[in-house]
Amino acid sequence: MPELLQNFIYNSFWAKALVAVVLFLYLLKLGKDSSIAVLPSFRLLVPVLLATDFALALLPHFVIFPVFQALAVQLVYYQVLGRVTGKARYPLVFWLFGGVSLLVAGASSLADLPWFASLLFPLVSLGLWINFGAQLYCVSEYNTENSLEIRLARRNLVQIQIGVTSLVLILTPWGGYLNPIVQMLVLPGSYLIHLLTLNRWEQGQQVASTHHVEALEKNLGSLFEFMIAIGNAISEKLEIDKVLEFVVRSAVKATAADGGAIFLVDEFEDVLRVKAVEGDFPPPYAVPAKVKAKITSLSEYFVSTPIPLNKTIVGECAMGRKGVYIRDTRLDPRMAQNAALDQLHISSIILVPLMQGTKVFGVLAIVSRRGNFQFTVDHYSQIKTFADYTSLTINSLFTYLQLLEKQEMEKEVGIAAEIQGQLLPGSLPRVSSVSLAAFSQPAKGVSGDYYDIISIRKGHIMLAVCDVAGKGIPASLVMVMIRTIIHLVAHQPGMHVSRILDVVNWGIAGKVSLDRFATVALLTYDFAQHKLEYSNAAHHPLLIYRAVSRSFETFDTEGIPIGLEKKTRYEQVETQLGKGDIVILYTDGIIEAMNEKGMQYTYESLQSVVEKNCEKAPEALKRAIIEDVNAFVGKARQHDDQTFVLMKVEN
C-alpha cells in the first residue's frame, strides 16, 4: 500500500493531467470557431492524453502505454495535417514503425525489462517526430493553399518534441522516462507544446483573416475601378472588342497573373474563338509540335484556331457552366500538356464562364507561368466577380447593339415603306364610265403585294394586282421591278395583257432567286366597247359580279408564276361588262385571312359581302369588305399582306 501511494505521489500523472486540463479549458475558450479547422482534432487529443496517462499512473512499468500515447498523438497530428491539406497523410513507415513498437513494448512490459522500456519509449517518440517533421516541412505555400498556420506552428512543434525525446534519451542511464526529472518536469512540460501549437494556429488564423480582409478590400477597390471604367466604356459607345480587351487587362492586373484571355461562343458554330489576349497566355491544350517550336507561330495558332465546345478545359468550362480552378497544373491530368517547362508551361490557371441566366457568352481565363506563384481561392473569387460583371456588361452591350440595329432596320423599313407607298397610285383615275376603289395593307412595314391602276390609252384603263412570295424588303424589291416593267411597256401600242406578262416574266426570270417568284393578274377595260381582257400568272381567278343575273363569274388562264421560267408564254381571256357589273382583283391575304381559331375568311365570304353591298359605290363596298374581314379576324395577328381592287361599271 505505501508503495502504491508512493507511485501516485511521484508519478507525473498529476502534472500532465493539469496541463491537459489547461488545454481543455483553452479549447472551451475557443468554442466552435469554424475558422480554426483543426479544433475537432485537438478536442480528440485531450481524452487521449488523459486516458493513457491514467493507465500509466496505475501501471507505471507497462511501457506499452507511453508508446501507445506517442502513436495516438501522432495520429491526431496526422489528422490535423490532413484537415489542412485536404489529403490524409499516413505514410507506410508510420504504420510499420508503430506496429513493431507496440509489439516490442507489450513484450517488454510482460517480461519486466525496465532498462529496455526506458530506451524504447524515447526512441519510438524520436523516430515518429522526425518522420512527422519531414511531412510538415513538405507543406509549402506552392503546394498547399492554406499553409500559413502549419508554417507558423511546425518549427516549435517539431523542435520541442525532438528536443524533449532527445533529453529523455540523454537521461536514460539515470532511469530514462522513469527518471523523476523526466516524470515531473520534462514530460509534463512537453504537453505544453500542444497548447502552444494550438495558440500558434489561432494566431495564424487571425493573420490569415487579416490578410483575407486586406485582399478583399484590395479586390473591392480594383472591382470598383473596373466597374467605373466599364461604365465609361459603355457610355463612350466603345466596340465590344475594346471592352473585352479592357476586361482581360483588368483581370490580369488585379490578380498579378502572367496572362489572360477571353473566349466567346461563336454565334453560328459550336466553337469558342479567342477575342482578347493580355500578357503571356499559352494555349491550355495540346498543339502540333511544329507550332510549339516558335513563339510567333504559337501565338498566331492560338488566336486563329477555334476551340470546339466539347473539347479542352476551355470548352469544359463553357459547356459545364462552372468555373475551373487548378492551383497546381502538375496535379491535374487535364493540364498534362502544360505541366512541362516549355512554351506551353502553365503553373496555375483559373477559368470562369461568362454567362447571363442560362446563356453562355464565353470564358474568362487567367494563368500563372511562375512556379513560385499560384492562384488562391481569393483570386478565384475575384475573377468570378469580374466574370459576373463582364457577363452583365456583354449582355447589356449585345442588347444595346441589337436595339440600335433594330432601330436602324425599322428606320430603313420605314423609308422603304414610304418609298413603296409613293409607288402605289396616289389617287385613282376619275373616269365617267367606271368607279374605282383600292385597298392595300402590309403585314409588315414593307409589303410584297402590289396594285396599280393605269390609264394606258384614251378610253382604256389597266388594273394590276401582284403578290410576291415572302414578305418585307426582299419581296418589295421584286415588286418594284415588276411595277417598273409594267409602266415601261403598258403604254406601248399593241400591248395586250398576255404580252405584258410575257415581257415582265422575261425581265424578272433569272434576275431573282426562285423563292422570290410572283403571281400577277392583269386586266384592261375598253370603255367604248365595254370589253375586258384578262391574263393571269398563277394568281387567283378574276371575280365578276353580274348585276343583271345577280350572280358571280370567275375567269382564269393557265400560267406559272412570274420569275420561274424565262420562256413562258401567257394566255388571255375576254368578256363584256354591263352596267352595274363589279370586277374584283384580290390577293390571298384577303380570302386566307385567319381568325384566332385558325379558320380562313374564304372566297365564299368575299362573294357574300359583295353581293350584300352590290348597290353601293366602290368606296362604300371597299369599307364593307374591310369591316367584314376585320370582324372575322378579330384579335388575331395579320399574317399576310392584304390587297384588293374594285371596279364598277356605271354606264
Side-chain angles (χ1 to χ4, degrees):
M1 186 66 177
E3 184 181 354
L4 182 61
L5 183 60
Q6 186 178 4
N7 287 337
F8 269 103
I9 294 172
Y10 288 99
N11 198 290
S12 62
F13 170 72
W14 309 110
K16 291 188 287 186
L18 179 61
V19 179
V21 169
V22 172
L23 178 61
F24 175 72
L25 293 175
Y26 188 66
L27 286 167
L28 286 179
K29 169 188 169 291
L30 294 177
K32 295 182 178 180
D33 190 346
S34 59
S35 64
I36 305 178
V38 297
L39 280 182
S41 299
F42 276 95
R43 290 193 186 100
L44 180 63
L45 185 62
V46 174
V48 167
L49 294 174
L50 290 175
T52 52
D53 283 337
F54 184 71
L56 189 60
L58 295 176
L59 301 167
H61 295 288
F62 273 69
V63 74
I64 192 171
F65 294 120
V67 172
F68 176 78
Q69 184 187 77
L71 291 170
V73 170
Q74 285 283 298
L75 281 173
V76 170
Y77 273 99
Y78 272 116
Q79 189 182 68
V80 168
L81 186 60
R83 285 180 182 275
V84 174
T85 61
K87 298 178 182 179
R89 296 171 179 258
Y90 302 108
L92 182 61
V93 65
F94 169 79
W95 295 110
L96 291 175
F97 190 60
V100 172
S101 300
L102 284 175
L103 289 174
V104 174
S108 63
S109 298
L110 294 174
D112 194 17
L113 300 171
W115 62 270
F116 188 76
S118 299
L119 186 65
L120 180 64
F121 170 67
L123 282 174
V124 170
S125 185
L126 183 62
L128 290 173
W129 280 109
I130 290 175
N131 181 67
F132 184 66
Q135 297 290 320
L136 286 179
Y137 276 92
C138 285
V139 174
S140 72
E141 58 185 309
Y142 307 120
N143 59 23
T144 303
E145 188 162 352
N146 299 313
S147 64
L148 179 63
E149 294 88 346
I150 285 182
R151 289 184 284 118
L152 285 174
R154 66 188 173 192
R155 182 176 179 182
N156 289 335
L157 176 65
V158 174
Q159 288 183 353
I160 293 177
Q161 290 290 6
I162 291 177
V164 167
T165 51
S166 299
L167 182 61
V168 173
L169 271 175
I170 293 171
L171 294 173
T172 295
W174 293 276
Y177 85 95
L178 297 176
N179 186 298
I181 297 176
V182 174
Q183 287 290 307
M184 302 306 295
L185 294 175
V186 178
L187 291 180
S190 70
Y191 279 30
L192 289 172
I193 189 59
H194 307 309
L195 190 64
L196 179 61
T197 300
L198 188 57
N199 179 257
R200 287 283 189 183
W201 215 283
E202 183 186 14
Q203 292 177 3
Q205 191 61 50
Q206 291 173 353
V207 171
S209 297
T210 302
H211 288 172
H212 180 72
V213 171
E214 291 174 353
L216 184 61
E217 290 175 351
K218 181 181 177 182
N219 292 349
L220 287 174
S222 63
L223 181 62
F224 185 65
E225 293 176 4
F226 174 71
M227 289 179 175
I228 292 175
I230 283 288
N232 292 336
I234 295 175
S235 64
E236 292 172 7
K237 299 180 181 179
L238 289 181
E239 297 177 359
I240 185 70
D241 290 344
K242 297 293 184 183
V243 174
L244 295 180
E245 289 173 4
F246 171 76
V247 168
V248 72
R249 187 163 58 248
S250 301
V252 168
K253 180 181 177 182
T255 57
D258 290 314
I262 287 183
F263 308 82
L264 290 189
V265 177
D266 191 285
E267 190 176 355
F268 304 104
E269 300 180 58
D270 291 335
V271 296
L272 290 155
R273 298 187 184 277
V274 179
K275 289 297 180 180
V277 182
E278 177 70 17
D280 190 1
F281 192 103
Y285 48 81
V287 300
K290 59 182 180 181
V291 172
K292 190 176 175 182
K294 293 183 179 179
I295 294 178
T296 53
S297 299
L298 186 63
S299 300
E300 292 172 0
Y301 179 85
F302 175 57
V303 172
S304 62
T305 305
I307 303 171
L309 281 174
N310 59 346
K311 293 182 179 179
T312 79
I313 197 167
V314 184
E316 174 190 327
C317 177
M319 287 288 286
R321 294 179 169 84
K322 290 176 62 178
V324 177
Y325 166 42
I326 302 175
R327 179 180 172 80
D328 190 345
T329 57
R330 295 171 300 178
L331 306 177
D332 196 308
R334 294 173 296 178
M335 298 295 294
Q337 69 282 336
N338 298 97
L341 295 174
D342 58 14
Q343 302 280 27
L344 293 182
H345 175 68
I346 295 175
S347 173
S348 188
I349 186 169
I350 292 175
L351 304 101
V352 180
L354 301 172
M355 55 188 294
Q356 190 73 16
T358 57
K359 180 178 177 59
V360 177
F361 300 112
V363 174
L364 169 62
I366 57 170
V367 298
S368 169
R369 303 196 67 193
R370 292 162 283 168
N372 61 350
F373 179 78
Q374 293 173 323
F375 296 125
T376 65
V377 172
D378 288 337
H379 290 133
Y380 180 52
S381 177
Q382 189 176 11
I383 290 300
K384 281 174 54 177
T385 306
F386 267 62
D388 289 342
Y389 198 76
T390 301
S391 301
L392 183 63
T393 301
I394 292 174
N395 188 55
S396 300
L397 279 173
F398 281 170
T399 303
Y400 176 68
L401 293 173
Q402 288 173 357
L403 181 61
L404 286 179
E405 185 178 346
K406 183 179 179 181
Q407 288 176 343
E408 188 67 25
M409 186 178 297
E410 287 177 350
K411 182 180 178 181
E412 292 176 359
V413 168
I415 294 172
E418 184 179 347
I419 293 172
Q420 186 184 47
Q422 294 172 356
L423 294 176
L424 297 175
S427 60
L428 302 183
R430 302 179 68 86
V431 182
S432 59
S433 300
V434 297
S435 297
L436 299 163
F439 170 78
S440 185
Q441 180 169 295
K444 291 185 177 180
V446 180
S447 177
D449 281 4
Y450 156 64
Y451 78 89
D452 216 337
I453 301 174
I454 309 170
S455 295
I456 52 176
R457 292 182 297 278
K458 185 177 181 180
H460 290 77
I461 194 170
M462 173 183 283
L463 274 61
V465 169
C466 169
D467 185 359
V468 181
K471 301 177 181 66
I473 292 178
S476 73
L477 293 175
V478 177
M479 179 271 285
V480 170
M481 293 172 68
I482 292 173
R483 177 191 181 277
T484 301
I485 297 173
I486 289 176
H487 275 257
L488 282 173
V489 302
H491 298 278
Q492 302 299 321
M495 277 288 179
H496 298 284
V497 286
S498 59
R499 180 59 182 157
I500 293 174
L501 284 184
D502 291 344
V503 175
V504 170
N505 179 66
W506 182 85
I508 295 296
K511 307 295 192 303
V512 297
S513 59
L514 292 178
D515 59 348
R516 292 298 172 198
F517 62 87
T519 63
V520 182
L522 285 181
L523 68 82
T524 57
Y525 181 61
D526 183 341
F527 301 145
Q529 299 182 26
H530 310 295
K531 185 176 72 172
L532 181 146
E533 295 179 350
Y534 175 73
S535 185
N536 182 3
H539 198 75
H540 294 286
L542 173 67
L543 180 63
I544 299 178
Y545 174 76
R546 299 293 189 180
V548 174
S549 62
R550 300 184 66 84
S551 63
F552 287 91
E553 289 184 23
T554 58
F555 293 85
D556 200 3
T557 61
E558 292 185 0
I560 63 175
I562 294 291
L564 294 182
E565 176 56 52
K566 200 164 190 174
K567 297 180 180 180
T568 300
R569 293 294 178 264
Y570 294 92
E571 301 174 358
Q572 69 181 49
V573 292
E574 298 178 1
T575 188
Q576 297 292 123
L577 296 181
K579 184 177 180 180
D581 288 354
I582 301 173
V583 176
I584 306 108
L585 289 173
Y586 54 91
T587 63
D588 53 12
I590 297 295
I591 60 174
E592 294 177 5
M594 288 192 294
N595 61 17
E596 292 175 299
K597 296 180 180 179
M599 299 173 63
Q600 292 186 347
Y601 181 68
T602 73
Y603 178 79
E604 289 74 20
S605 298
L606 177 61
Q607 285 183 320
S608 176
V609 71
V610 171
E611 186 176 14
K612 290 177 183 177
N613 296 275
C614 62
E615 301 298 329
K616 296 179 180 179
E619 275 296 326
L621 176 57
K622 178 183 79 172
R623 290 193 295 271
I625 294 173
I626 295 170
E627 290 172 1
D628 196 57
V629 171
N630 290 339
F632 173 82
V633 170
K635 296 181 180 179
R637 183 176 63 87
Q638 180 183 343
H639 72 281
D640 199 1
D641 304 324
Q642 295 177 345
T643 301
F644 64 86
V645 178
L646 302 174
M647 184 181 75
K648 185 175 184 179
V649 179
E650 298 294 347
N651 54 61

